C-alpha cells in the first residue's frame, strides 16, 4: 500500500507563495470547510470570512495556506508561516515537469518558455544546464519568490 504525501513549505507570506505555486502547477486554492465556491469566486475572501466566524485572530489569518490539484492526482501543497529567513540551499526541492516527452533543442525551448512565464510570476532564474546524453536531458534551476530552489525539468 502506498501512502499519500503533502509537500510543506515554510514561508513568510503563505497565501502569496500559495498563489505563486498554484500558478506554476495549475493547482487551486481550496475553499474553507463550509464554502461552496463557484467559478470566479475568491477563495481568500471565503477563508477570511470563515476564519473571522470561527474566531481566528486577524494576526494569524495569513499564517497558513494550501493548494490542491483540481484533478486530485498530485500532492497537496501546504504553506506555513515561519519567522526565520531561508539561509541555505534546500535539501529537498521540486522538479516541475515542464517539457514531458521532449528532447534536445525542443525540450530546452519549452523549458525556456516555462522559465519566462515563471519569472513574470516572481520566480528568479538561477542557471541553465545543457543536455548531456545519455544521462542528462537538460534543466533550468529557479527560485520561487521566497528563495526556494526548484528545477524546470
Amino acid at each position: 500500500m502506498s501512502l499519500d504525501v503533502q509537500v510543506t513549505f515554510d514561508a513568510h507570506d503563505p497565501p502569496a507563495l500559495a498563489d505563486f505555486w498554484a500558478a506554476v502547477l495549475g493547482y487551486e486554492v481550496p475553499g474553507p470547510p463550509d464554502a461552496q465556491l463557484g467559478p470566479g469566486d475568491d477563495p481568500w475572501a471565503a477563508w477570511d470570512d470563515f476564519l473571522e466566524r470561527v474566531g481566528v485572530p486577524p494576526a494569524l489569518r495569513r499564517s497558513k495556506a494550501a493548494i490542491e490539484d483540481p484533478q486530485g492526482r498530485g500532492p497537496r501543497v501546504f504553506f506555513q508561516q515561519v519567522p526565520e529567513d531561508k539561509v541555505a540551499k534546500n535539501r529537498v526541492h521540486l522538479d516541475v515537469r515542464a517539457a514531458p516527452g521532449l528532447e534536445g533543442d525542443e525540450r530546452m525551448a519549452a523549458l525556456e518558455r516555462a522559465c519566462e512565464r515563471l519569472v513574470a510570476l516572481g520566480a528568479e532564474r538561477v542557471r541553465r544546464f545543457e543536455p548531456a546524453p545519455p544521462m542528462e536531458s537538460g534543466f533550468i534551476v529557479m527560485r520561487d519568490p521566497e528563495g526556494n530552489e526548484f528545477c524546470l525539468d
Side-chain angles (χ1 to χ4, degrees):
M1 175 176 123
S2 65
L3 300 176
D4 287 335
V5 274
Q6 171 175 278
V7 177
T8 300
F9 282 81
D10 291 346
H12 284 290
D13 187 349
L17 201 55
D19 283 340
F20 170 81
W21 280 103
V24 170
L25 300 173
Y27 274 35
E28 297 174 347
V29 175
D34 66 345
Q36 298 296 322
L37 299 179
D41 288 349
D42 180 2
W44 297 120
W47 274 106
D48 286 341
D49 292 344
F50 172 79
L51 294 171
E52 183 175 349
R53 277 196 322 276
V54 299
V56 174
L60 297 178
R61 292 185 192 160
R62 294 185 58 85
S63 65
K64 295 175 178 28
I67 58 174
E68 297 175 348
D69 179 350
Q71 282 88 40
R73 293 186 314 232
R76 181 177 190 261
V77 184
F78 180 70
F79 304 85
Q80 62 187 1
Q81 192 171 53
V82 297
E84 65 273 1
D85 289 330
K86 181 183 173 301
V87 295
K89 184 181 185 311
N90 304 13
R91 294 293 303 249
V92 174
H93 70 265
L94 302 182
D95 287 338
V96 177
R97 303 289 185 184
L102 301 179
E103 296 180 9
D105 291 342
E106 187 179 17
R107 172 185 172 77
M108 296 311 291
L111 295 180
E112 289 293 348
R113 287 189 300 275
C115 179
E116 288 176 19
R117 181 178 79 86
L118 300 186
V119 166
L121 293 172
E124 175 188 353
R125 179 192 182 110
V126 176
R127 185 172 172 201
R128 175 176 160 148
F129 288 82
E130 297 299 325
M135 299 302 291
E136 183 54 61
S137 54
F139 60 97
I140 299 173
V141 179
M142 309 279 297
R143 286 192 191 107
D144 75 13
E146 291 202 13
N148 300 299
E149 291 92 359
F150 66 98
C151 292
L152 291 176
D153 183 22

